[in-house]
Amino acid sequence: MRKHIVAGNWKMNKTFEQADDLINEIVEKLETTELDRNTLLILCPPFPYLEMTSDYANDSYFMVGAQDVSSHKEGAYTGEISAAMLDSMDLDYCIVGHSERRQYHGESNAMVAAKVDQLLKHDIKPIVCCGEVLAERESEKQFDVVKQQIVEGLFHLSAEQFSNIVIAYEPVWAIGTGKTATPEQAQEIHAFIRNLIAEKYGKEVADNTSILYGGSCKPSNAKEIFAQADVDGGLIGGACLKAVDFLAIATSF
Ligand code: PEP
């Protein structure tokens, strides 16, 4: 049975002290929150807070992920963080190909593929983002765009490697805008993605792949979105910065 996953992408938010407060609050609230046994909670704070977050995770019920990784192995790449470094900190997950990386840092599907390869070499599970921009949705190109992102970013993997992949469908027009895809729109694309995976890797791999929705997901709409047959949870931006909202979403299955 595939996992339900709720992952919080903090992006570039919080000072060290604020980060400490937020994780502390999440840990406290988790003591009295009934998380479904099949639900995995993942916190993806900025790089400087990964160690602190991992320390908290040792005594709590969440896992830790990074927001990005270098496509290079090691060497003269100032400012970059390698998969080996994340591995040496025992990280479990890493977001790859977020639309903000694609938009502001020119991250191509080929770079996504290279980052995924680096992560898999170090047994870190990639959370791979895909999704169309508004103009692509308006011209009904969303299926073509998402297919190309997945084929070019992931379909070089073997079935065994692919079984470590989590996919996050994030329509770019819904990220941080307050506009959410309707549950039907989310289901339509999630089913399309699962079908693509089934065609390439077979039904079993497709059925075991967690496909998350991201884009203005909040406590008031999570239940309806997560109730869709092919939606296995969410990648949460803004709403993960408040412990009470993040945990309300995590209990929306
Ligand atoms: C995101 O950036 O991954 C995201 C889903 O953001 P938000 O929830 O703020 O739309």
Side-chain angles (χ1 to χ4, degrees):
M1 185 185 185
R2 59 184 178 258
K3 284 267 170 216
H4 287 158
I5 297 177
V6 172
N9 174 13
W10 292 24
K11 311 192 185 189
M12 197 174 71
N13 289 297
K14 306 280 180 193
T15 62
F16 188 85
E17 212 176 12
Q18 290 166 343
D20 195 5
D21 287 347
L22 175 55
I23 306 167
N24 219 331
E25 202 183 334
I26 290 172
V27 169
E28 264 178 35
K29 287 198 177 350
L30 274 174
E31 293 293 328
T32 53
T33 303
E34 288 263 329
L35 266 192
D36 186 292
R37 285 169 69 97
N38 192 40
T39 301
L40 211 66
L41 204 59
I42 307 172
L43 266 58
C44 302
F47 286 123
Y49 312 150
L50 285 172
E51 189 177 357
M52 168 173 66
T53 312
S54 293
D55 286 346
Y56 275 109
N58 287 334
D59 298 315
S60 189
Y61 307 101
F62 61 85
M63 308 198 92
V64 187
Q67 295 176 18
D68 187 30
V69 67
S70 176
S71 56
H72 302 286
K73 185 172 173 235
E74 65 182 350
Y77 300 101
T78 302
E80 294 258 57
I81 308 283
S82 71
M85 293 174 189
L86 299 180
D87 186 14
S88 69
M89 297 177 72
D90 282 335
L91 288 200
D92 310 297
Y93 288 86
C94 181
I95 299 169
V96 181
H98 191 278
S99 63
E100 287 150 17
R101 301 292 317 172
R102 293 179 189 264
Q103 187 180 350
Y104 306 130
H105 303 274
E107 195 159 310
S108 62
N109 293 334
M111 281 166 78
V112 170
K115 290 181 177 196
V116 165
D117 290 346
Q118 288 296 331
L119 290 170
L120 291 179
K121 273 184 202 152
H122 289 276
D123 291 327
I124 297 170
K125 292 183 168 49
I127 301 173
V128 182
C129 303
C130 58
E132 78 286 356
V133 300
L134 186 59
E136 291 163 343
R137 164 73 53 170
E138 284 174 346
S139 52
E140 293 180 15
K141 292 207 178 80
Q142 66 270 28
F143 297 106
D144 293 340
V145 171
V146 166
K147 180 174 180 179
Q148 193 171 0
Q149 289 170 334
I150 290 181
V151 169
E152 293 180 7
L154 292 172
F155 277 7
H156 61 290
L157 301 176
S158 67
E160 196 190 336
Q161 288 174 313
F162 194 90
S163 63
N164 293 298
I165 300 293
V166 175
I167 291 184
Y169 167 64
E170 303 204 300
V172 182
W173 46 270
I175 295 180
T177 58
K179 281 187 202 159
T180 319
T182 63
E184 294 74 24
Q185 283 173 324
Q187 168 57 22
E188 188 181 33
I189 289 263
H190 281 232
F192 172 76
I193 293 171
R194 199 175 306 284
N195 197 42
L196 275 181
I197 300 168
E199 280 172 8
K200 170 79 180 167
Y201 295 108
K203 191 173 174 332
E204 194 180 338
V205 173
D207 282 346
N208 285 323
T209 303
S210 298
I211 307 176
L212 317 183
Y213 168 80
S216 298
C217 189
K218 40 190 184 267
S220 58
N221 59 24
K223 229 183 186 88
E224 224 187 337
I225 297 172
F226 293 176
Q228 302 303 307
D230 288 289
V231 178
D232 307 309
L235 179 55
I236 316 299
C240 80
L241 298 172
K242 274 196 186 156
V244 64
D245 288 352
F246 187 50
L247 294 181
I249 293 171
T251 49
S252 291
F253 292 100

